[in-house]
Amino acid sequence: MDSSEKRDVWTQTLSAMKVSLESSYEFKTVVHEESRLIEGLKDNKKDYVVFSGYRRNAGRRRLNDTKRVIDTALVKIVCCESKDAPRIYLDTLKTIAMQTQWTSVLEKLSEHDHTFH
């Protein structure tokens, strides 16, 4: 596999990852909000129903941050020297993995906060 084929694979992989992250985010957000709405409607003791929260607001910002990381990597991979492309690709994967882990932690903490308010 020559250098241009490798670049194509890396850019296609990152592009697919970006689409997958966005689709997954949208799906999980809809499921989460609908579940919260249904649970809120079942509970007659509450004066209000919270169905949108972290995922819709801060979660969207974090997703956009991750998409920007991928977009930046795609530009760098296309424009860089062939010896730098694998490092850019690997660094991008590491950054996305770290951001995904932090997002998961923050989502869990945000749900915990809502149970006591």
Side-chain angles (χ1 to χ4, degrees):
M1 188 181 298
D2 70 356
S3 170
S4 66
E5 290 174 324
K6 289 178 183 178
R7 282 179 199 246
D8 289 344
V9 169
W10 293 325
T11 56
Q12 290 172 4
T13 301
L14 289 175
S15 295
M17 184 183 301
K18 180 180 166 184
V19 170
S20 176
L21 285 169
E22 185 153 32
S23 298
S24 175
Y25 167 83
E26 290 297 333
F27 177 74
K28 287 179 182 178
T29 300
V30 168
V31 168
H32 185 259
E33 288 176 350
E34 288 181 4
S35 298
R36 288 179 80 176
L37 179 60
I38 290 169
E39 286 302 314
L41 293 174
K42 287 180 184 177
D43 189 358
N44 295 330
K45 298 174 188 172
K46 290 186 178 182
D47 295 341
Y48 60 92
V49 175
V50 177
F51 64 92
S52 182
Y54 175 85
R55 290 194 63 81
R56 185 58 64 189
N57 300 309
R60 169 60 73 183
R61 284 191 297 275
R62 292 197 185 286
L63 174 66
N64 288 338
D65 290 345
T66 302
K67 288 169 44 179
R68 274 191 289 279
V69 167
I70 294 171
D71 289 339
T72 301
L74 289 171
V75 170
K76 286 181 180 179
I77 287 173
V78 170
C79 296
C80 74
E81 293 183 26
S82 60
K83 64 179 181 162
D84 294 330
R87 182 190 47 78
I88 293 168
Y89 178 75
L90 181 59
D91 289 347
T92 303
L93 293 180
K94 288 178 181 179
T95 300
I96 292 168
M98 183 182 65
Q99 286 181 334
T100 302
Q101 289 173 342
W102 272 113
T103 299
S104 177
V105 168
L106 292 172
E107 284 178 11
K108 287 184 187 342
L109 288 174
S110 72
E111 288 178 13
H112 179 71
D113 283 345
H114 287 293
T115 58
F116 293 108
H117 292 317

